[in-house]
Amino acid sequence: MDALAKILASAARGGFPPPDCGLTVLPQPSPRDAGVLALTGHTVVFADVPPEWVRRRVPPDDLGAPLGPPFLSALCGRTGREAGSIDVLLVLPPGTGPAPHREELREMRNLVGTPDPAHPRVADALAHRSHVRAWTTADGGTLVTGTGVAGRWEVAVEVADAARGAGRGRALAAAARALVPPDEALWAQVAPGNAASLRAFLAAGFVPVGAEVLLWPAGVAETAG
């Protein structure tokens, strides 16, 4: 388990780095994954750049600087990547969250198939995750799982306009618990302005961990959570 995976695993259990206004710089956990993770009072930069280069560009004790435009622009220029959106990072620890309805799981399992790369949510997952699987429901719900940053299990959901307002997003987020290994934490990245999605994941038992921005090779599209 690499250093970033250890930090994430600890955070999923409620253990965080000291809130010391500190900065940890780590190498990328894989050629695909680079970014900045802001936790309470501590920031982690995971990118293949010299730690001294990062520290020269982040004023001491400025907790907002690593996610600010000046530093992100410099980091993108140094790495040749593009910054995605700054998302809220949420986690559902193993063994937590409401139990999904059996009827919903049965429906989703009956409809599981080869991920459709034409679906925007699936296309985004195929670009940013490994081991991607996708489920759909008869009323227009989509749930996608896969392994993302540092091998963590991630989930994204989408609900068709006609099915919104009936708790489908919460039900899909809760159902994901049964669709990944039971001893794994389940992670979600949600755009801060997507209040409906935030409410759905919170209602399904996910808890906020921090804020995260991922850096992608130029031209790789991103869909907000």
Side-chain angles (χ1 to χ4, degrees):
M1 184 181 294
D2 62 48
L4 180 59
K6 290 179 180 178
I7 290 173
L8 290 168
S10 180
R13 299 190 301 269
F16 295 91
D20 54 4
C21 298
L23 176 68
T24 297
V25 183
L26 300 173
Q28 292 174 210
S30 73
R32 179 191 62 192
D33 300 323
V36 180
L37 171 62
L39 305 169
T40 300
H42 197 94
T43 302
V44 181
V45 175
F46 50 101
D48 289 338
V49 294
E52 298 78 12
W53 180 91
V54 174
R55 298 183 191 283
R56 285 199 303 269
R57 287 160 177 80
V58 177
D61 301 330
D62 186 347
L63 291 175
L67 289 180
F71 175 71
L72 290 180
S73 295
L75 185 59
C76 287
R78 174 81 185 209
T79 59
R81 291 177 170 240
E82 297 177 349
S85 64
I86 299 176
D87 292 328
V88 179
L89 183 64
L90 304 106
V91 67
L92 184 67
T96 64
H101 296 298
R102 291 183 180 180
E103 294 78 7
E104 290 167 349
L105 287 176
R106 188 179 302 115
E107 177 190 12
M108 292 171 63
R109 286 170 178 161
N110 287 340
L111 291 173
V112 68
T114 302
D116 177 9
H119 190 290
R121 184 65 61 183
V122 175
D124 180 68
L126 290 171
H128 302 142
R129 300 183 179 106
S130 304
H131 309 104
V132 173
R133 299 183 69 194
W135 290 260
T136 59
T137 61
D139 62 357
T142 301
L143 185 154
V144 183
T145 63
T147 53
V149 174
R152 68 190 183 197
W153 279 94
E154 299 176 351
V155 59
V157 303
E158 187 168 300
V159 179
D161 290 345
R164 292 181 179 175
R168 171 57 76 185
R170 181 213 64 81
L172 288 170
R177 172 76 280 167
L179 301 175
V180 303
D183 58 342
E184 294 282 352
L186 185 58
W187 298 83
Q189 303 126 300
V190 180
N194 192 344
S197 186
L198 275 174
R199 289 195 298 267
F201 277 99
L202 292 171
F206 285 74
V207 294
V209 168
E212 182 179 73
V213 58
L214 300 180
L215 310 182
W216 303 113
V220 176
E222 181 187 27
T223 301

